[in-house]
Amino acid sequence: MPNFFKKFHHKLGEGGWKNLTHFFPFPDLQPLAIIWIVVTGTLLGVRQLGGLQPLELNALDLMVQLRPDPGADPRLLVVTITDQDINTIEKWPISDRTLAKAIAEIARLDPTAIGIDIIRRTPYEPGNAELVTQWKNPKVIPITFIGSSESERVPPPPNIPDKRVGFNDVVVDPDRIVRRNLMFAGDGKTTLTSFSMRLALAYFNSKKIDDKITEKNEFQVDKTVFLKLKSNSGGYQNIADQGYQILLNYRSPKNIAETVTLTQVLEGKVAPKLVKGKIVLIGVTALSVNDLFFTPYSATASGNQPMPGVLIHATATSQILSAVLDGKGLFWYWDEWQEILWIAVWSAVGGCLAWRLEKSLNLMGSAIAACGSLFGFTFFLFIQQGWIPLIPPAMALLITAGVAVTYKYEQSRQQQGIVMKLLGQQTSPAIANALWKERVHLLESGLLPGQKVTATIILTDLQGFSTISEKLPPEVVMSWLNEYLSAMAQEVQEHQGVINKFTGDGMLAVFGVPIPRTTPEEIAEDARLAVSCALAISSRLPQMNQNWLTRGLPAVKMRVGIFTGPVMVGSLGGTTRLEYGVIGDSVNIASRLESCQKNRQEDTCRILIAEETLLHLADQFEVESWGALPLKGREQKVNVYRILGRKKK
C-alpha cells in the first residue's frame, strides 16, 4: 500500500479528513446544525399555518381517553329524556304541562338550580299557563340559542330576566369534535352568559362565593381566574377565539353525573337526596331527537357514539365547579417562545441520537425511548391540567433523526466511494471493503496505529533492469514499466494482497494486512495466496515478453522472494506526509531471498521461499530444495526452496 495515507490525505484535503473523522470522537456539528435549523424552522412554519393542528387534537383526545375517570360529580343530577320516555308520553316535543310537572317535581325536592336544556319559545299546549308559572321560579334557568346570525337566533321563553337565561351554543372544532366551552359571548350590545356558567353561578351564589372581572379583563370566581383560551393555545393554531372560551375538561365518557329519566321524575320515583342542594339539568338524550355531538371519547365508543348536548353542558358545569371548589384549576398553556424552544430541543435530541449512534437497532431503540419519554412527560403535565405540544416535538425528533441518518448515509456512501477508489488502486476489493468497515478504528486520530502481525511478504525485481533502462528513452521505459507493474498489481489485488510500495522495477506486496490475521488457518491462507500470486505473475510473463518483443521492446526475467513471519505495520510519517509502513526482519529476509544467487535463474520467473513459508503451504505446491543458504546480513543460514508450480491432483 505505497504512500496510502499520503494519497488519501492529498485527495481529500483538510475538509475531507474532517468529514471522514466526524463520527468519532468529536464530530463536525455544522451539518447537524443546518439540519436542525431547517427541520425545526419548517415544522414551526407548518405548525403556524395549522398543518399539525389535526394531529395535535387527536393526541389531545388520546390523553383525555387515557386519564383516570374520577366518577360522577356529586353536585349534579341529570334528568334525561330518552327514546323510551318519548314513546311512553307518545309526543315530541313534550307538552308544556309535562315539562311543568317535571320542573315542579324537581323543585319540590329543593335543588340549588334547575337548568332546562330544551328550547321553549312557543307554547306546546296543553299546559302553557302551568309552565309559565314554573318559569317564575328563580331557580329555573332556561336557554337561548345565539347561532351564527340573527336569523338563527332562538330567544328564551318570554318574560324571563336575562340573569336567569343561558345560551346553549356549543363550539365545535374543524373536525366536528367539541373540545371548548364558550362561557361568555357578546351580541354587539350585551354580554351573554352560557347555560353551564349560569348554573355554576347559581351554585356559587348559594355558597356566597363572589365573582368579578379582573383588571386584565379576566373572569374570576373566588381565587380562581379563568384564563381565556387564545387562538394558538396548546395545540391550537389560528382558531376562532371569539368570546370567552376555555378548554373543556371532560370528566368521564358516560359517568358525568347521577341520572334519572323523565318518567321517573313524573312518577315521583326520584329520591330527595339525589336533588337536594344540587344542580339539576333536564335535557334530551334520545337518539331520535339528534341533539348529539362528537367528543374526544367518540373515537373509542362503539360505533363512534356522540354525546348528548345536556351531558356536554353537565361536563362544562362540573368543570367550573371543580376549578373553584375542588382546587383542580383549569388548563394552562406555555407561551409561544416556550413551545418553540420545546420543539427545538426535541429536534436537537433526534439529531444528536442519529449523529452519535451508528447501529440501526441502537438508534431505533433510543428513538422509541425518547418518544416514550416525550409522551410520558406530556401526559403527566396533561393530568396536571397542562396542555403542551406533543406532535410537533415528536415529529421534530423523528424527522431530524431521519434527515441526519440520510445525510450520514449519503456522506458515508460518498466517502466509501473515495476510499474504495483509493484503496482499490492497490488492494483487492475484499481488503478495501474490510478497511472501510473498520474505518472507525483505522482512521482514529488520522493514523493507523502500529501493530505486530504475522504476514507473508513478496518482493520482486527485474533481472538487468539497469542495463535495459540505459538503452531506451525514459518515456519508453516509463510506459513499458507501467505495463509490467500494472499486471503485477492486478494479480496481487485478485489474490487479496496489499501493494505496499513500488521500488522502481520491483514491488513489495503484503498478504495479511491491514486487518490482522490471527489464527493459524488465516496465516496459512495468506501464505498460499502469496505463492499463488507469484505463480500467476510467472504465468503471465512469457505472454507479456512476446508482446513486448513484437513491439521492439526487451523481454525480461524476474526474481521473487517470499517469506512468512512477524512484521510491524502502521502509519509512518506526519500529518503532511503519511504512508503505510511494513517493517521488520521478515521484510529483509524476503528481500535477501529475491537477491539470493542472482545468476541461478533456470526459467523466466524464479520464486524462492523460506522454510517458514513452506510450513504453511500444506503440500499444495511442487518445490525444489536449495538447501541451507547464507543470506546477506544474516549469521544463520536459511533453508531455501524454489517453487516449481502447483501440484497436480
Side-chain angles (χ1 to χ4, degrees):
M1 203 187 304
N3 302 324
F4 162 61
F5 277 99
K6 178 183 72 175
K7 289 185 178 181
F8 200 25
H9 199 76
H10 176 72
K11 279 276 187 179
L12 296 180
E14 287 294 328
W17 272 108
K18 289 182 179 179
N19 287 336
L20 278 178
T21 58
H22 81 278
F23 298 94
F24 293 94
F26 304 107
D28 181 4
L29 296 180
Q30 183 177 2
L32 178 59
I34 294 173
I35 293 171
W36 172 68
I37 292 172
V38 171
V39 172
T40 304
T42 302
L43 273 175
L44 289 174
V46 173
R47 177 175 180 263
Q48 181 68 29
L49 296 174
L52 302 182
Q53 179 173 290
L55 294 175
E56 194 75 287
L57 294 180
N58 289 338
L60 171 67
D61 295 345
L62 176 62
M63 291 189 290
V64 170
Q65 296 163 15
L66 294 177
R67 284 188 308 178
D69 189 333
D73 191 328
R75 295 164 296 222
L76 302 180
L77 174 68
V78 178
V79 177
T80 62
I81 302 176
T82 66
D83 282 309
Q84 186 175 353
D85 292 324
I86 294 174
N87 292 335
T88 301
I89 298 170
E90 296 183 345
K91 185 177 183 179
W92 181 257
I94 61 175
S95 68
D96 289 348
R97 177 168 293 161
T98 301
L99 181 56
K101 183 178 180 181
I103 296 174
E105 282 293 323
I106 294 296
R108 182 177 61 84
L109 300 178
D110 193 24
T112 296
I114 305 173
I116 311 300
D117 185 28
I118 302 174
I119 293 293
R120 215 63 176 187
R121 173 59 179 172
T122 57
Y124 288 92
E125 297 290 358
N128 181 254
E130 299 169 30
L131 182 57
V132 169
T133 300
Q134 295 302 321
W135 288 140
K136 296 178 181 179
N137 185 340
K139 293 184 178 181
V140 176
I141 299 174
I143 60 171
T144 183
F145 181 75
I146 301 174
S148 57
S149 64
E150 187 64 31
S151 61
E152 293 182 359
R153 183 167 184 176
V154 179
N159 303 319
I160 305 288
D162 290 341
K163 65 179 181 180
R164 281 207 292 121
V165 175
F167 63 82
N168 75 332
D169 297 59
V170 173
V171 180
V172 179
D173 281 336
D175 57 1
R176 299 191 304 156
I177 292 179
V178 178
R179 300 186 182 90
R180 292 174 278 161
N181 176 25
L182 179 61
M183 299 196 305
F184 301 100
D187 62 357
K189 299 178 182 178
T190 59
T191 299
L192 306 177
T193 303
S194 70
F195 182 49
S196 57
M197 179 56 76
R198 282 291 183 206
L199 295 172
L201 288 175
Y203 194 89
F204 295 144
N205 289 335
S206 70
K207 303 293 184 181
K208 297 186 175 4
I209 299 175
D210 296 329
D211 60 85
K212 66 177 182 178
I213 301 297
T214 67
E215 295 179 355
K216 295 182 179 180
N217 203 31
E218 295 173 330
F219 183 68
Q220 178 177 338
V221 179
D222 198 17
K223 297 180 181 180
T224 302
V225 177
F226 290 77
L227 298 177
K228 184 180 178 182
L229 186 72
K230 299 179 181 179
S231 62
N232 61 348
S233 295
Y236 283 118
Q237 294 294 322
N238 302 319
I239 60 166
D241 60 350
Q242 293 86 351
Y244 204 114
Q245 301 181 33
I246 63 172
L247 190 66
L248 187 56
N249 191 5
Y250 281 89
R251 187 180 187 93
S252 173
K254 294 180 180 179
N255 193 25
I256 301 166
E258 188 78 36
T259 62
V260 295
T261 66
L262 178 62
T263 301
Q264 288 176 298
V265 172
L266 295 176
E267 294 177 353
K269 295 181 178 179
V270 178
K273 66 178 182 179
L274 294 178
V275 179
K276 185 175 177 59
K278 297 185 180 182
I279 297 173
V280 179
L281 294 89
I282 302 176
V284 182
T285 60
L287 297 179
S288 59
V289 177
N290 199 31
D291 182 26
L292 304 168
F293 299 90
F294 292 111
T295 71
Y297 297 110
S298 297
T300 60
S302 176
N304 203 23
Q305 186 70 39
M307 182 180 287
V310 67
L311 295 184
I312 290 180
H313 295 305
T315 296
T317 305
S318 175
Q319 177 185 9
I320 298 170
L321 296 179
S322 297
V324 176
L325 302 176
D326 300 341
K328 290 187 177 180
L330 296 159
F331 277 107
W332 52 267
Y333 322 95
W334 278 346
D335 293 333
E336 185 69 14
W337 70 268
Q338 291 174 303
E339 295 181 346
I340 292 174
L341 180 61
W342 176 246
I343 295 169
V345 166
W346 283 101
S347 177
V349 169
C352 290
L353 288 177
W355 212 252
R356 290 291 184 180
L357 299 177
E358 293 290 330
K359 294 183 178 179
S360 299
L361 289 178
N362 289 345
L363 177 58
M364 290 178 60
S366 298
I368 292 173
C371 288
S373 299
L374 171 61
F375 179 80
F377 181 74
T378 305
F379 184 60
F380 170 76
L381 291 186
F382 188 75
I383 293 177
Q384 310 304 316
Q385 307 292 93
W387 187 25
I388 65 172
L390 172 61
I391 298 301
M395 292 183 66
L397 185 151
L398 296 176
I399 293 176
T400 304
V403 174
V405 167
T406 303
Y407 172 82
K408 284 177 59 181
Y409 171 78
E410 181 61 24
Q411 186 186 51
S412 177
R413 189 182 65 82
Q414 293 177 1
Q415 293 170 353
Q416 186 177 11
I418 295 173
V419 174
M420 295 293 281
K421 181 179 179 181
L422 289 173
L423 293 176
Q425 295 174 2
Q426 45 201 340
T427 69
S428 69
I431 292 293
N433 189 56
L435 267 173
W436 175 254
K437 290 180 178 179
E438 296 294 325
R439 66 191 181 280
V440 172
H441 305 292
L442 297 178
L443 297 178
E444 184 178 8
S445 303
L447 298 171
L448 281 168
Q451 56 183 330
K452 186 176 182 180
V453 299
T454 300
T456 298
I457 311 298
I458 289 184
L459 266 163
T460 70
D461 192 32
L462 288 179
Q463 187 181 54
F465 174 73
S466 299
T467 303
I468 294 173
S469 62
E470 291 175 358
K471 296 178 180 180
L472 297 174
E475 62 272 15
V476 175
V477 173
M478 182 66 71
S479 176
W480 168 73
L481 190 58
N482 279 336
E483 287 186 42
Y484 163 69
L485 294 176
S486 177
M488 288 202 301
Q490 181 181 355
E491 294 299 336
V492 170
Q493 292 178 17
E494 289 183 359
H495 288 82
Q496 301 180 32
V498 173
I499 300 173
N500 182 253
K501 65 179 65 176
F502 292 114
T503 58
D505 61 327
M507 173 188 71
L508 170 59
V510 189
F511 293 75
V513 297
I515 308 303
R517 309 274 278 174
T518 55
T519 67
E521 293 76 16
E522 291 174 334
I523 295 171
E525 178 65 16
D526 290 333
R528 291 191 287 270
L529 286 171
V531 173
S532 297
C533 177
L535 288 174
I537 293 172
S538 176
S539 65
R540 291 185 63 170
L541 194 56
Q543 182 180 359
M544 295 173 65
N545 277 334
Q546 184 62 39
N547 179 270
W548 289 331
L549 288 173
T550 58
R551 292 156 54 193
L553 297 173
V556 297
K557 292 184 178 182
M558 65 180 295
R559 299 183 300 272
V560 179
I562 301 176
F563 185 80
T564 302
V567 292
M568 285 295 298
V569 296
S571 297
L572 293 178
T575 56
T576 58
R577 178 180 174 85
L578 288 170
E579 71 174 49
Y580 188 72
V582 181
I583 58 177
D585 194 43
S586 297
V587 179
N588 296 330
I589 297 175
S591 177
R592 300 296 181 259
L593 287 170
E594 174 272 314
S595 60
C596 172
Q597 298 186 12
K598 292 184 178 181
N599 296 326
R600 192 175 175 181
Q601 179 108 11
E602 289 85 356
D603 51 15
T604 305
C605 180
R606 189 192 76 177
I607 305 172
L608 296 183
I609 66 172
E611 187 173 11
E612 285 79 355
T613 299
L614 180 66
L615 295 174
H616 297 293
L617 299 185
D619 202 28
Q620 294 184 12
F621 301 90
E622 294 283 354
V623 298
E624 174 187 84
S625 175
W626 281 20
L629 300 179
L631 299 181
K632 185 178 179 180
R634 295 189 62 82
E635 296 181 359
Q636 295 182 347
K637 293 183 178 182
V638 175
N639 292 320
V640 179
Y641 300 86
R642 174 175 166 237
I643 297 293
L644 302 178
R646 189 179 294 274
K647 280 190 175 182
K648 297 181 180 180
K649 297 181 180 180

